[in-house]
Amino acid sequence: MIIPPHTLEADTLRAIIEEFVMSEGTEYGARDYTLEEKVTHVQRQIEAGDVVIIWSESNQTIGLFTKQSLSINSDTQP
């Protein structure tokens, strides 16, 4: 289920983003970024609608995913 970010308390949304940033270990390029910079970057992606918050009922987990990663290729036929 997609969770609209505006339905979450600000502290809850930040905690979700921080958990994502710290668990991903993603490289952001040639220079190191602070946690705050990484959180801001992800927050902007959420606000732009490029990243969505997904709640998995079956796993009881929440995660962040790019819309692109969730898209089904329309050229793919079963």
Side-chain angles (χ1 to χ4, degrees):
M1 165 190 329
I2 295 177
I3 305 296
H6 67 274
T7 64
L8 300 172
E9 295 288 331
D11 290 344
T12 302
L13 179 58
R14 179 167 178 100
I16 292 167
I17 294 170
E18 284 182 4
E19 178 65 29
F20 172 78
V21 167
M22 290 188 295
S23 69
E24 287 300 304
T26 307
E27 290 296 324
Y28 283 77
R31 84 171 184 89
D32 290 330
Y33 289 86
T34 66
L35 175 62
E36 189 60 36
E37 289 171 318
K38 292 176 183 180
V39 168
T40 299
H41 180 77
V42 173
Q43 178 70 43
R44 287 184 183 147
Q45 289 179 307
I46 292 171
E47 290 169 0
D50 297 329
V51 170
V52 294
I53 304 164
I54 303 288
W55 169 252
S56 171
E57 185 70 34
S58 61
N59 295 329
Q60 299 288 300
T61 59
I62 197 160
L64 302 179
F65 299 88
T66 63
K67 276 193 171 178
Q68 183 179 16
S69 71
L70 299 174
S71 296
I72 298 173
N73 185 344
S74 60
D75 296 333
T76 304
Q77 298 296 320

